[in-house]
Amino acid sequence: MSTHLLLLLLICFASSSSFVSLTEASVHEYRTERFMSKGNAFVFHGGSEGIYSSLSDNFTSGSDSSFIRFEKITFRRPEKVSNRSSLPIHAVIFEVEDRENIGGSAYGGQRAVCCTSDLAKLGVCSRGDIIYHPSAFDSLWPQVFGVSFIDNELTATLPLSSIQITRTGMYNLYFIHCDPNLKDLVVEGKTIWKNPGGYLPGRMAPLMYFYGFMSLAFVVLGLFWFSQYARFWREVFPLQNCITLVITLGMFEMALWYFDYAEFNETGIRPTGITIWAVTFGTIKRTVARIIILIVSMGYGVVRPTLGGLTSKVIMLGFTFFTASETLEIIENVGAVSDLSGKARLFLVLPVAILDAFFIIWIFKSLSATFKKLQARRMVVKLDIYRKFTNALAVAVLVSVGWIFYELYFKSKDVYNEHWQKAWIIPAFWQLLSFSLLSVISALWAPSQKSTRYAYSGDANGEFEKDDYSLTLIKPGPVPSHEVHQNLSETRHLQADKGALDGDLEEDKRD
């Protein structure tokens, strides 16, 4: 208990300190990055972030200004072309709503970004310049400036500059040049992106407060569960130990995610170590939670003492899901700085989705078989618990499917991340749904004086007799002869049913 209280105090302290000492901006570092050919231009993407204007009603002006600052941005060309004159290299910053203002007339079947010789002859632009048009919102945007190589120099450095952000939006930075002789050009240095609230990009900022809230929610759930566990530890059975593990993993996961975002907000650099730990704890929690739901659906610890031959199959499915999910989450989160969503490749997303679907099918198929056994053995208390569990699980699956369709709709309508201020809701929803289902399971199987009523009993009819023990207190009266014959007949049928059930139990063990 003292460990969990200490964790709560640390979270509260970190929360208060993050509000007091909010620092500068998000740091995008470039280490010998190469340009890529796009149409008639060579392009390197320098970053994308949602930035709140310091003039917004949500923030105060003054020292909390928003900007994008260039620090030691150096372009290096190969030595073999150092004796050739070159066209300038440009930095282009624009808000996503102004994306159509970059580029001009069609050229070679594509929109031309660079001013070509043909366009220069028409007097539209100067050769080697970037074609762009002023924004309808602000005539000073997009911001375009550049630098050229001097004589035989191998490097050219952009002058230190800071671009003030006066309009809330999703901003994009691209370095662009139009010289084929510089196709092997590399860029080094860094840019600093400042939000009024600190280093965190705009889309990620709400998640820090969300994970702080979820950390406290898991602490509350943990206090409830561990207090019940301590009071009735003699009545605890294996399934409840598994639930304890999931709650503990959830507490660590939420705390690590909070510290990941808090550290990012403090330094401007994504902490790789904390991110990996947060991803790993989260993946383990999701894997263990799915396995627990599956074995509960199979009736483990309730109508069967072991999984028998199914144990290896369950472990194999869990390990495969963990591997696929861990790979996906690491690629999605580790080192991610820009406000770009949906970067994971399709071949990493599909295995996780397929394994999730397999879990769901197996769970509901197992629940159906367990229901039949509980009904046949007339285990009323366990049957009621499983009915509530099935209802909660069905609601969670239906809500999940509905949210998946909404997520697909949201992403299809937000190709350019224009709705970045709402994007944090998507990952937050899955955490809330997982926590809600865990809370329901914790309430249904919480340790209590009657915990053993939910556990496996070797006597198939034992619980039925326990539930109806009050009937034995009624003094029996004389029984008519025709009812005696009827009772004898029913007894034979019950014995036959019991023999069949015992056979099913033995078959379960062999499985």
Side-chain angles (χ1 to χ4, degrees):
M1 294 295 293
S2 59
T3 303
H4 302 293
L5 290 175
L6 177 60
L7 179 61
L8 174 59
L9 292 174
L10 287 173
I11 292 172
C12 293
F13 175 77
S15 301
S16 60
S17 63
S18 65
F19 283 111
V20 173
S21 59
L22 295 174
T23 49
E24 294 287 315
S26 179
V27 179
H28 294 248
E29 295 190 67
Y30 319 117
R31 300 182 179 91
T32 62
E33 308 288 349
R34 294 186 175 275
F35 287 70
M36 297 182 64
S37 176
K38 299 288 184 181
N40 69 335
F42 295 88
V43 179
F44 170 71
H45 182 218
S48 296
E49 282 194 22
I51 302 181
Y52 290 95
S53 168
S54 55
L55 304 179
S56 172
D57 294 337
N58 298 326
F59 302 100
T60 59
S61 58
S63 60
D64 290 335
S65 60
S66 304
F67 57 78
I68 301 174
R69 187 166 63 230
F70 293 79
E71 293 191 356
K72 299 179 181 179
I73 301 296
T74 301
F75 303 99
R76 187 180 303 276
R77 62 179 176 176
E79 187 174 358
K80 61 183 178 182
V81 296
S82 61
N83 58 348
R84 302 180 187 177
S85 61
S86 63
L87 299 174
I89 304 103
H90 298 87
V92 181
I93 306 174
F94 61 94
E95 204 277 324
V96 69
E97 292 185 3
D98 299 329
R99 60 186 179 276
E100 296 298 331
N101 292 357
I102 306 298
S105 304
Y107 177 80
Q110 298 183 11
R111 189 178 181 84
V113 175
C114 293
C115 182
T116 62
S117 301
D118 294 336
L119 293 175
K121 290 178 182 178
L122 297 175
V124 177
C125 53
S126 299
R127 181 175 178 270
D129 285 348
I130 304 300
I131 302 174
Y132 68 96
H133 309 285
S135 168
F137 302 98
D138 189 341
S139 59
L140 299 178
W141 286 83
Q143 296 277 339
V144 180
F145 55 95
V147 64
S148 299
F149 287 98
I150 300 175
D151 299 330
N152 297 329
E153 294 291 331
L154 293 177
T155 61
T157 303
L158 280 174
L160 294 176
S161 59
S162 182
I163 309 298
Q164 298 296 319
I165 305 299
T166 58
R167 179 163 62 102
T168 298
M170 173 64 71
Y171 286 86
N172 297 271
L173 167 63
Y174 286 90
F175 297 107
I176 304 175
H177 74 82
C178 308
D179 193 344
N181 293 323
L182 299 178
K183 62 181 180 179
D184 295 325
L185 186 72
V186 297
V187 57
E188 299 173 346
K190 65 180 178 180
T191 54
I192 299 178
W193 305 55
K194 183 181 183 302
N195 254 303
Y199 276 75
L200 276 175
R203 183 178 64 86
M204 299 181 184
L207 287 173
M208 182 179 71
Y209 305 105
F210 171 77
Y211 283 120
F213 166 78
M214 289 301 299
S215 297
L216 295 177
F218 262 96
V219 167
V220 172
L221 178 61
L223 289 174
F224 161 75
W225 181 266
F226 290 115
S227 63
Q228 292 294 103
Y229 194 99
R231 287 178 61 193
F232 307 106
W233 63 274
R234 294 180 184 275
E235 308 294 329
V236 171
F237 58 99
L239 176 59
Q240 292 170 326
N241 290 328
C242 295
I243 297 174
T244 302
L245 175 61
V246 174
I247 293 176
T248 304
L249 289 170
M251 294 173 68
F252 278 105
E253 180 197 7
M254 294 301 106
L256 284 168
W257 275 123
Y258 175 80
F259 289 130
D260 175 64
Y261 282 98
E263 179 72 12
F264 190 4
N265 193 53
E266 185 73 20
T267 64
I269 300 174
R270 195 75 181 265
T272 302
I274 299 178
T275 307
I276 291 176
W277 278 110
V279 165
T280 302
F281 269 94
T283 306
I284 294 174
K285 186 202 75 174
R286 287 190 296 274
T287 304
V288 173
R290 281 161 174 76
I291 292 176
I292 289 176
I293 293 174
L294 178 58
I295 64 177
V296 167
S297 303
M298 292 177 172
Y300 169 72
V302 179
V303 297
R304 59 195 305 172
T306 66
L307 296 179
L310 295 175
T311 302
S312 59
K313 297 179 181 178
V314 172
I315 293 176
M316 184 180 298
L317 177 60
F319 177 78
T320 306
F321 177 83
F322 171 82
T323 304
S325 184
E326 177 80 355
T327 304
L328 173 63
E329 291 296 323
I330 285 179
I331 291 179
E332 279 285 299
N333 293 283
V334 175
V337 175
S338 290
D339 262 341
L340 293 176
S341 58
K343 296 182 295 180
R345 298 181 181 180
L346 186 61
F347 69 87
L348 293 176
V349 176
L350 279 179
V352 177
I354 293 172
L355 290 169
D356 256 333
F358 194 84
F359 263 114
I360 292 172
I361 293 172
W362 198 357
I363 286 169
F364 280 99
K365 184 178 178 181
S366 301
L367 274 174
S368 177
T370 303
F371 259 103
K372 292 178 180 178
K373 291 182 179 181
L374 290 173
Q375 288 172 344
R377 300 176 187 183
R378 296 180 291 178
M379 295 179 175
V380 180
V381 175
K382 295 178 182 178
L383 188 61
D384 182 60
I385 291 291
Y386 265 83
R387 185 175 289 109
K388 293 177 181 177
F389 171 69
T390 303
N391 292 338
L393 197 59
V395 170
V397 171
L398 290 175
V399 172
S400 299
V401 172
W403 189 259
I404 288 173
F405 281 108
Y406 170 77
E407 188 174 340
L408 291 173
Y409 170 80
F410 181 88
K411 290 184 177 180
S412 66
K413 295 293 183 180
D414 192 34
V415 179
Y416 300 102
N417 294 317
E418 294 177 89
H419 302 295
W420 56 276
Q421 291 172 280
K422 301 177 182 177
W424 68 274
I425 298 175
I426 291 178
F429 170 83
W430 293 113
Q431 294 289 356
L432 282 174
L433 182 64
S434 174
F435 178 79
S436 300
L437 187 57
L438 179 59
S439 299
V440 171
I441 294 174
S442 300
L444 291 176
W445 275 282
S448 66
Q449 290 179 340
K450 300 180 180 180
S451 292
T452 53
R453 299 177 71 187
Y454 315 139
Y456 169 78
S457 175
D459 185 0
N461 290 326
E463 182 162 338
F464 174 73
E465 294 171 359
K466 184 190 297 183
D467 291 340
D468 295 330
Y469 71 96
S470 59
L471 296 178
T472 61
L473 301 179
I474 302 175
K475 183 179 180 180
V479 182
S481 59
H482 69 278
E483 292 187 11
V484 172
H485 293 292
Q486 182 179 354
N487 289 339
L488 288 173
S489 178
E490 290 176 355
T491 301
R492 295 192 187 98
H493 287 297
L494 286 174
Q495 290 175 347
D497 291 341
K498 187 178 185 301
L501 290 171
D502 291 338
D504 291 343
L505 182 60
E506 291 300 319
E507 184 179 351
D508 291 341
K509 293 179 180 179
R510 288 194 298 272
D511 291 339

